[in-house]
Each structure stands twice: as structure tokens, then as C-alpha cells.
Amino acid sequence: MCMTLLMFCVLHDLFKGSGQTDFGPQLKSLNKDHFTIVAWDPRGYGRSIPPNRNFPLEFFHRDAKDAVDLMQASSNIGKALNFSRFSMLGWSDGGITALIAAAQYTFLINKLVVWGSNAYVTEDDIKLYNAVRDVSKWSERMRKPMEEMYGSEYFAKTWAAWVDGICQFAKRPDGNICREVLPQIHCPTLIVQGLKDPMVPNFHAEFLHKHIKGSRLHLMPEGKHNLHLRFSEEFNQIVEEFLLQ
């Protein structure tokens, strides 16, 4: 019986900004004999425009609901895919979304894989985000693909709005994004962390591992934020083995 993988893609991932571009090695190479793969763009990103992206305080919970509404058989939306259960893969902000979905919709989620994700923000995190706020200071290699997909104005505006959106969590107790939901995750969970991730320090993965009961933590010594692209063969193998166990 095939599992269904729901992959998340968001602008924060610093790549081309859609499921198709950010998860190319997974869409191409994960075993199609075992998996049905769905790549989803949250509202305001990739192919889910319109609407334009915005960042109210509950935007991660909104994305989680949108994702589940797309997938589940009981959804009232017109384009629901009618999967009664599925597994979720989430990168970066998509991982946060997946954590929330797995906690709130425990009856739907088989397994969970997240990488480059965090359940809270610190003052040091805020410094990292603000340091890359001005996209005009990015290298052309990093900036050009985003501008080609979104246009320079929408990309710059949305990126700055994301920085403001993620920084607003620092005003909450303990910088909370979704700390309180982690104990509610009961599905088998794999946390992958690149030890050289410049955007999400290692202590975030350790926190997830500590507070998600029974979770596994896999460290990739040379991995950075885009470890699933840079080391796609290794990443795919790790994920397949976990999902097929």
C-alpha cells in the first residue's frame, strides 16, 4: 500500500520557491513504487498565487489547515485529493507547518519528517533573519531564481514581510511558535539536521527531538539548510528507509 508524502515549500527556504523547484530530487527520485508524492505550495507562494502572501500571527496554523484540507477525504474544498491518511515531509517553515499539522490532526498523519525547522525563535535567530532582510545584498545566484519566479518587487516585499512575520514570535513568551504542540505529536517522527545549517542552529533540532516522544534525530555533518538538495541521494535514502519501516 502506497504512502502519500506531503511536501511543503515556502519562500524562507531561500531557493526557487515552489514544490517543483525546491524538491526536484525528491519528486524525481523517491521510489514511485512505494510512494505517491504530493508537492504543495502554501497560499501566496509558487503556484498558489493569488492570493498574495501575508503573515498574521497564526500563519503557520493557517498553512497547516490548508495542507490538511487539500489532502483529506472529508475536506469541503473543491480540490481535495481524498487521502484518508498520509505522511508529511516539511522543510524549514514547512517543517513548522508539518509539526503543527501532525499535532492537530493525529488521526490523519502516518509519519513525519522535518528538517531545518524550529519551534521557537531566539534573539540570535532574529539577528540572523534581519541580516538577510535586504535582498539587494544577496548574491545574484541566490536572488535571481526568486526574482525570476516572483518578480523582483513581489519577492523583496514578501521576503521583508516574512522577516517581520517570523520576528513577531520573539514577542511571545519563550519566543514560542509551536512549542506547546510538540508533546501532542504521536506519529513516528524523523528530525534531520545539517550541522552546518546557517539559518537554523542545531539546538533547535535537539529541542524538537527532546519534546517529540520517540522521535529520531539524524545529523548530517556537512549538511546546510538545503541538505536535501546538496546531499539528495543520502537524504532520500534516509527518508525512504524511515517511511518503509
Side-chain angles (χ1 to χ4, degrees):
M1 181 176 180
C2 289
M3 296 181 182
T4 298
L5 311 185
L6 180 59
M7 297 185 181
F8 298 95
C9 169
V10 289
L11 194 59
H12 171 40
D13 293 331
L14 303 182
F15 274 81
K16 297 179 182 178
S18 73
Q20 186 174 8
T21 55
D22 280 359
F23 296 104
Q26 286 68 54
L27 295 175
K28 178 181 178 181
S29 299
L30 284 176
N31 192 327
K32 305 302 188 303
D33 291 334
H34 295 291
F35 308 116
T36 298
I37 304 170
V38 175
W40 170 71
D41 296 337
R43 63 174 77 182
Y45 292 136
R47 296 184 179 182
S48 295
I49 302 174
N52 289 344
R53 184 68 177 179
N54 63 1
F55 300 92
L57 190 59
E58 74 281 2
F59 72 90
F60 285 118
H61 289 77
R62 179 188 65 187
D63 288 346
K65 184 178 186 304
D66 284 349
V68 170
D69 282 349
L70 173 66
M71 295 295 288
Q72 67 173 332
S74 61
S75 172
N76 292 322
I77 68 173
K79 296 183 179 179
L81 300 179
N82 296 325
F83 291 105
S84 58
R85 289 183 62 85
F86 47 91
S87 297
M88 303 180 77
L89 274 69
W91 174 30
S92 197
D93 275 21
I96 299 172
T97 303
L99 291 167
I100 294 169
Q104 292 186 335
Y105 304 95
T106 57
F107 57 96
L108 293 174
I109 312 303
N110 286 321
K111 292 188 177 183
L112 175 67
V113 182
V114 297
W115 64 106
S117 303
N118 49 301
Y120 61 96
V121 295
T122 68
E123 289 301 322
D124 287 338
D125 293 324
I126 298 303
K127 293 177 182 177
L128 289 174
Y129 305 145
N130 280 313
V132 294
R133 176 188 290 271
D134 185 353
V135 298
S136 69
K137 296 180 180 179
W138 290 18
S139 69
E140 183 179 4
R141 179 181 66 85
M142 297 298 292
R143 186 181 67 251
K144 186 177 180 180
M146 303 293 279
E147 292 179 338
E148 289 178 348
M149 169 162 285
Y150 292 107
S152 57
E153 181 178 357
Y154 183 82
F155 167 51
K157 179 180 179 181
T158 305
W159 176 257
W162 177 83
V163 173
D164 290 337
I166 197 70
C167 287
Q168 67 186 322
F169 292 102
K171 300 176 182 178
R172 303 179 71 180
D174 298 319
N176 182 46
I177 300 175
C178 63
R179 298 165 66 111
E180 74 284 356
V181 308
L182 301 183
Q184 301 171 30
I185 298 174
H186 302 302
C187 64
T189 300
L190 173 64
I191 302 156
V192 183
Q193 177 67 21
L195 293 181
K196 294 184 177 181
D197 190 332
M199 290 297 293
V200 181
N202 302 330
F203 62 80
H204 284 300
E206 293 168 0
F207 183 88
L208 297 180
H209 179 45
K210 180 180 179 179
H211 290 87
I212 301 175
K213 186 176 181 180
S215 63
R216 306 181 193 178
L217 176 60
H218 182 93
L219 303 177
M220 297 179 65
E222 298 301 315
K224 296 184 179 180
H225 199 54
N226 64 340
L227 57 85
H228 66 297
L229 301 176
R230 177 66 176 81
F231 301 103
S232 60
E233 186 173 340
E234 178 183 357
F235 176 83
N236 287 359
Q237 181 178 353
I238 293 166
V239 169
E240 286 189 354
E241 289 177 356
F242 172 71
L243 293 172
L244 291 173
Q245 287 174 349

